[in-house]
Structures are given as structure tokens and as C-alpha cells.
Amino acid sequence: MPDVPLALGPDDAGEFLYEKGVVLAREGEEAQVVEDTVRGHFRTFAAGVPDRVRRLGPAGDRSGVVRIQVSDPGEGDAAGDPAVTGALRALAAVEGRTGRRMVSRNHVVHIAVNACPGDEPVPVSRDARPNPAVAEADGEPGGDAARVLVVDTGLMHDYRDYPPLARTQGDAQVAECDDDGILQQYCGHGTFIAGLVAAVAPHTDITVSNALNDAGAVLEHEFGEKLFDAVDAGGWPDVLSLSAGTTNGRTDGLLGVDAFMRELRGQHTLLVAAAGNNASATPFWPAAYADLPGYEDAVLSVGALRADGASGACFTNHGGWVKAYAPGERLTSALTGFGTPVPYVYQHSTYDTCRYGFSYPCTCHHPRHTGVLSEDGASAKPDQVMFEGLAQWSGTSFAAPVAVGMIAAHMTARGVRDPRAARRELLDDVDEFVDVRGAHRPALLPPTWRPVRVPPAPTARPR
């Protein structure tokens, strides 16, 4: 997001990114209360500072939030934003009296391969097969096929060359390659996800929205509106697959998606959301809505199992708010380049050991590659690879659509029309469980998924 001044938060840790100099409030009377309170705060504690509090306009018709500027976004660096922190503190007493949240940072919501991923897609051999493999399905899907909406980065131009996606519809991935013909980071993310759903549940109507096309990142005030736009385009689906979110240091959700989540609760749609890849128990939203009262049936949060299925992947978020785990490490699905190989240059280097302290051969350090953003700087030559259709990728981004596929397949196999009922039945029928950091959770294992046995990684990075 090169044109948006950003800061790291909260003040003492870089857990999330947010827009500098701006806070969010609900439109109407609450926005006015926020403006007046923040203006009074700055006049009290920052005498002589010009009146800089002003409303920047609503995010849209349905998300119900407005941006309020509280300082010059160009001031200071990215280490934090004292003006935004001051605005939040100024409203704390008001919120305490009303019992209602009134103000928020404007967080960056990003696809759940992580805001700064150590894992990027890996090429596979020409004769590789999808994993999970494409399930067998008799005949053509009927008119009662489950409808799945994937809100992500869109579809690559050649996605229909992958037979399981021949019936998939949706928005195009914009700007797949740069001026040198190099595949851009995150491109293919939405296609990869759609391929996983289609493999696990072939008789499913899949639509892919490119609402997160801009490198998989969007500001919170736009996120809720984009979700509304995505469901408005084709009606509320049976299952909404979302592999994006953010932490915010709170336990009560995101102000920018509050209106969408409240409307979701009254629909029949089931939101299946990725739990995030920060190896943390901190709630990652919207996935963590699964733990809030009233959303138990409406939201399923999904963490990632490691490649052998033995436990949670090193990177997966965890905690009581993560309700199930599915394979999410070293999955194989459609990316791009069917018939025409496409080059890709790694942006991030792998690590010498697991960054989260695990001892198994995880994707933190295997397979080795050096990225453009390597700490070695200009002396390190980044690795370039070619993609020719399928690829291997890891993340809770991909565990979530595996769970989506299992729910859709259950709906088809059992003739269940209610996706929330299908979710309950599926979890009740699970006979595999996994212990992840002290939590005993269902393991959603597709019949066609194959555990991947990875040999120990080399101890030193080749140069």
C-alpha cells in the first residue's frame, strides 16, 4: 500500500498495521461524539496545536463507518502514531459509560499468508497431482449444488485450463505480472483457493471475487463495504470462504465489518475464515467471531495442520477461538502458467531454523530460497523459479477452503440445504482430533488428502 501512510501497532509491538492519523467511528451521532471528544482532548493536552480533527467522509452506504483525521499522516515514522493512540484514550471513558465501542484504528486487513510471509508458492514437478486430490463425482452437478463465494484476489486468466475449475466463475486477477513478465506476489492466491474447494467438492458452484486484488490488502473501512459488494453481486452464498483478516489488540471484533457481521448473522450463509499465520493466540478477525456470542453457528474459524497431519503447523494461529483445523501445509493446487511457464522471483528468504521454535522440517526453512528482501542485501541473488500450472503453498489461507470443500461435499452427499446445519453435522461426525497448544479440536481431513513426509532440511542455507 505505497500511497497510504501506515504505522505499526499496538504501541509496544508490531502486531498489526493501521492508517496513520486516522480513526474510524460509526456514522451519525457517534461520529460527532468522537470528533468533539478528540478535539477537546487535543486542546487540553496539546495547547497551541491547530484544530486538525476533521471528517474525511463515509466508507460507503452499508459499512456504516466514517474516517476521522486526527493528525497529519505525514508526521513521524511507522513505529506508531501517538495522535491515534491519544484519540483512542480520549474515547475510553465515554465507551466505558456507554458500554459501546465507538472508535477504532483503521487497520490493514490482509490475506492470511501473513503480512510479511516467510512462505511463498513452490513449484512442483510436471507429473505432480493435486493434494487434496480431486474427489470422484458422478454426473453433472444439479441445480441444488452448494454455492461457494471465495472473496480473495480473483482468478488467473488461464484458470479454466485446470479441469476442476472449468465451471468456476468470477472476477479476473488484475495485473498478474510486472513489466518484466514476472508473476507478482500473491497472484494466483484466489485461483489456488478455488482449486482446493473444487478438488474436495467437485459438485459445487464456485464464484471468486477479486475484492482483495490489491496485493491482498485493504483498509478496514473499505473491507466491510467490499464484503457487502461481493455478496450483493450474486446474492448471499451458502458458504463464504475468506482467507483474510487482522489482529487489532481487542476481543470484540472489527468496527469496520460490524455492520456486515451483524447482517451475516441473520442470513443462512456460513462464513469459513482462516485463523491467520502469526503463530499466536491473539484473536484474528473476522475468524475470531466464531468465539463471540451469537456467531457460533455463523462463523467457523480454521487453523492449519502441518504437512503430516500430526499437529498444528508452526505458523498457525491457535487458541479457544480456533474451532477446527484442516491440512494447510504443503498443499498442491492450481496457480498459473498452464501451457505457458511463468517466472516468479522470491520476495522473502527462508530461515536457518523455524522462526517459531519448531523442530520439524517446516516451511520456515525448507525448501531453501533467497528473496529480494533478504537481510543479506544486494550481495544476495534472489532465487527465480518457473510455475507451469500447479504449485505447492502453505498457510491457513488454504486450510480454510479445504474446510469449505468438506462442508460443501457434506451438503451434496447428505442432501443438506442449510450450510450451518452441515457444519454442525460435519463436526459432530469427525472422528479425528488434534491437540494444538493445549486445545483439543476436530481435524477436518478430506478423504483424498495425502500426508506429506518431508525429509529433514539442510542445516545451512546454500548460496
Side-chain angles (χ1 to χ4, degrees), residues 311-456:
S311 186
C314 71
F315 53 77
T316 189
N317 283 346
H318 51 90
W321 56 272
V322 182
K323 301 305 179 182
Y325 289 81
E329 190 177 61
R330 304 186 196 279
L331 301 183
T332 302
S333 183
L335 191 71
T336 188
F338 294 96
T340 306
V342 180
Y344 178 78
V345 176
Y346 283 103
Q347 298 297 301
H348 303 270
S349 298
T350 47
Y351 299 78
D352 290 333
T353 58
C354 175
R355 54 185 162 160
Y356 304 118
F358 284 72
S359 59
Y360 78 98
C362 63
T363 56
C364 288
H365 57 101
H366 183 68
R368 301 288 194 190
H369 51 254
T370 298
V372 172
L373 303 178
S374 169
E375 293 181 0
D376 293 337
S379 63
K381 180 178 174 59
D383 292 321
Q384 178 173 306
V385 294
M386 303 294 290
F387 287 109
E388 303 181 70
L390 298 181
Q392 191 179 83
W393 214 343
S394 303
T396 60
S397 274
F398 313 122
V402 169
V404 168
M406 292 190 69
I407 292 165
H410 183 92
M411 292 177 68
T412 299
R414 303 286 183 88
V416 180
R417 297 309 310 149
D418 180 353
R420 299 181 183 184
R423 167 214 187 257
R424 292 192 297 269
E425 292 176 8
L426 181 65
L427 294 182
D428 288 344
D429 290 347
V430 164
D431 55 11
E432 296 282 348
F433 290 82
V434 63
D435 291 308
V436 180
R437 320 270 178 102
H440 191 65
R441 288 290 183 265
L444 300 177
L445 306 178
T448 61
W449 172 72
R450 304 180 305 278
V452 178
R453 307 295 178 182
V454 182

Side-chain angles (χ1 to χ4, degrees), residues 85-125:
T85 301
L88 299 180
R89 289 174 178 166
L91 267 296
V94 179
E95 291 180 328
R97 290 195 301 270
T98 63
R100 178 174 170 87
R101 186 179 180 190
M102 300 180 67
V103 67
S104 166
R105 293 178 173 91
N106 193 17
H107 302 88
V108 175
V109 179
H110 54 85
I111 56 178
V113 292
N114 213 335
C116 191
D119 178 66
E120 295 172 72
V122 176
V124 295
S125 64

